[in-house]
Amino acid sequence: MIPFLDLKAINAQYRDELIDACTRVIDSGWYIGGSELEQFEQQFANYCGTKYAIGVANGLDALILTLRAWKELGKLKEGDEVIVPSNTYIASILAISANNLTPILVEPCIYSFNIDPNKIETAMTSRTKAIIPVHLYGQLADMPAIMDTAKRHELLVLEDSAQAHGACLDGKRAGSWGDASGFSFYPGKNLGALGDAGAITTNDEELANTLRALRNYGSYEKYKNLFQGVNSRLDEIQAAMLNVKLNHLNDEIAHRRKLANAYLKGINNNAIILPKKEDDSAHVWHVFVIRCEHRDELQKYLTDNGVQTLIHYPIPPHQQPAYKEWNDQSYLISEKIHAEVLSLPIGPTMTMEDINTVIQVCNEFQL
Ligand SMILES: *Cc1c(COP(=O)(O)O)cnc(C)c1O
């Protein structure tokens, strides 16, 4: 079976470096808020091209705490509307609801799978105060157009970059376009820890300071609590793992691009619609997502022929029981995407031989 993603093989590449880093932390006697985190925050901010990076416990907290910080700073208030793509992973939307803000779903472009910038203005009301563009599947959303709309209407922009570490357009990386950006380092993401971790990037010093307090019980200074904060910290062991893996991220992205280009060139079956990349550097291929009207048959056929696939994602957010109030609404493009998408294997340790096998199996699919 060609696995969808071989996490064990991915981390095995850096086994010695990871063990050295773990040993360093174990022997230091310092496990929360130390030099590994400081180094990672600095390196990751440099990598993204921002002044600050603030480590937190996971990607969902990165999004929740940024919106929360904007509330504490008086830039958002309960009931304000936040625009978000209707086909995103549920976490982008949960972050809005968790802050008692109102998510406004806007449909994506079916070719890029990212929010359609032309639909943002029609969805806006006088209560709309922010946009969360999501760089879905690893491809930057149309940030020049989104930033232009945001500027004209004075909206805050929080990028959800959980799938797009390193994606770059016009020399600007994911995480450096908006007022702030949330990242996830869940093990399966392109930059993955060996457990949960996340971060926020921003150039805004006041926001960075507020986030540092919020992640630590609302405290800047021990035993002085400015906010009713939370405990959402990126621990030293995970920061140490990320310090190792960040050094290899660009090589891994280059390998993913090579594999994706082989798929784009090699798959040639009228039943399969290939993903569209706008620009080579703007896509880091977190997942390689095709569309097929007979998706379930294709998935079964691929499994039977030794190719493991996943669906990102099978149920659109507006049809989830968690959001009952939207269950009778329809978002036709999202519904079509959720019914047709299938993610083929891709990853930094996958070989060209495996890619060629998947291409051949795909090309032999018949209804
Ligand atoms: C993974 C992911 C998140 C959440 O990250 P966690 O670290 O799992 O909390 C948020 N948004 C998107 C688009 C994601 O893919």
Side-chain angles (χ1 to χ4, degrees):
M1 189 70 142
I2 296 176
F4 175 72
L5 182 72
D6 192 345
L7 269 184
K8 188 172 157 178
I10 290 170
N11 289 318
Q13 302 177 97
Y14 317 121
R15 190 170 188 279
D16 293 345
E17 279 184 83
L18 293 169
I19 289 173
D20 284 353
C22 266
T23 308
R24 207 164 58 223
V25 175
I26 293 167
D27 292 348
S28 75
W30 195 275
Y31 307 112
I32 299 275
S35 57
E36 295 289 343
L37 176 66
E38 213 169 282
Q39 185 189 334
F40 178 68
E41 288 182 335
Q42 217 156 70
Q43 307 261 72
F44 193 65
N46 284 347
Y47 182 83
C48 293
T50 57
K51 281 196 194 143
Y52 310 101
I54 301 95
V56 291
N58 55 66
L60 176 57
D61 277 1
L63 299 171
I64 291 180
L65 292 177
T66 304
L67 295 173
R68 169 81 193 276
W70 281 334
K71 280 165 59 187
E72 298 290 354
L73 293 168
K75 296 187 173 182
L76 291 178
K77 59 178 188 315
E78 294 199 0
D80 283 350
E81 294 170 353
V82 181
I83 286 175
V84 66
S86 53
N87 61 321
T88 186
Y89 180 57
I90 198 79
S92 331
I93 300 172
L94 292 174
I96 302 170
S97 323
N99 278 288
N100 293 320
L101 300 163
T102 305
I104 302 294
L105 304 182
V106 169
E107 290 254 70
C109 161
I110 198 160
Y111 299 107
S112 68
F113 302 115
N114 278 328
I115 194 165
D116 186 338
N118 298 317
K119 293 184 181 149
I120 292 176
E121 266 172 343
T122 21
M124 283 174 37
T125 75
S126 57
R127 292 196 308 163
T128 308
K129 293 287 146 51
I131 310 181
I132 301 187
V134 182
H135 310 311
L136 202 66
Y137 306 153
Q139 178 160 237
L140 272 185
D142 186 348
M143 292 312 294
I146 293 166
M147 293 312 295
D148 181 64
T149 306
K151 281 215 179 73
R152 272 187 290 112
H153 297 278
E154 293 180 41
L155 305 179
L156 293 162
V157 177
L158 170 57
E159 300 172 70
D160 182 341
S161 304
Q163 304 188 358
H165 324 72
C168 188
L169 184 67
D170 302 336
K172 275 172 78 83
R173 284 209 163 119
S176 70
W177 286 87
D179 299 289
S181 173
F183 284 89
S184 165
F185 310 115
Y186 178 80
K189 301 287 158 88
N190 282 20
L191 177 58
L194 274 65
D196 274 315
I200 302 104
T201 55
T202 184
N203 288 319
D204 180 341
E205 185 178 9
E206 190 183 33
L207 176 66
N209 287 335
T210 307
L211 285 164
R212 285 183 209 284
L214 283 174
R215 73 174 172 185
N216 187 40
Y217 316 116
S219 167
Y220 292 102
E221 220 183 305
K222 212 165 190 182
Y223 308 128
K224 285 192 180 169
N225 300 85
L226 205 56
F227 310 110
Q228 295 174 18
V230 299
N231 175 349
S232 179
R233 299 180 297 220
L234 202 179
D235 62 75
E236 288 288 286
I237 287 268
Q238 294 310 330
M241 302 296 93
L242 290 165
N243 279 326
V244 169
K245 293 189 72 181
L246 180 56
N247 290 329
H248 302 283
L249 179 60
N250 282 345
D251 288 342
E252 294 202 346
I253 291 171
H255 189 72
R256 284 174 185 271
R257 287 200 178 117
K258 196 172 112 189
L259 301 175
N261 285 328
Y263 274 147
L264 290 172
K265 212 169 134 209
I267 298 176
N268 169 16
N269 182 329
N270 288 335
I272 293 173
I273 301 170
L274 291 166
K276 201 170 156 239
K277 62 168 175 178
E278 304 293 334
D279 183 287
D280 217 46
S281 67
H283 209 321
V284 293
W285 301 103
H286 171 56
V287 283
F288 188 93
V289 179
I290 60 170
R291 284 196 293 127
C292 176
E293 273 186 40
H294 307 276
R295 189 262 316 276
D296 295 343
E297 290 93 324
L298 176 61
Q299 184 174 39
K300 181 177 184 308
Y301 160 85
L302 288 170
T303 309
D304 292 346
N305 286 278
V307 178
Q308 189 190 15
T309 58
L310 291 180
I311 296 170
H312 297 99
Y313 300 92
I315 305 169
H318 71 275
Q319 291 177 344
Q320 296 285 359
Y323 286 102
K324 275 188 209 67
E325 63 273 32
W326 297 333
N327 286 177
D328 61 354
Q329 297 181 16
S330 63
Y331 292 87
L332 294 175
I333 298 172
S334 280
E335 284 160 29
K336 189 171 169 63
I337 287 172
H338 287 79
E340 295 186 349
V341 288
L342 188 65
S343 305
L344 299 181
I346 194 163
T349 61
M350 193 177 174
T351 62
M352 277 315 264
E353 194 184 337
D354 281 345
I355 279 283
N356 288 329
T357 306
V358 180
I359 291 171
Q360 190 182 343
V361 173
C362 282
N363 287 343
E364 284 165 8
F365 172 66
Q366 283 179 324
L367 282 168

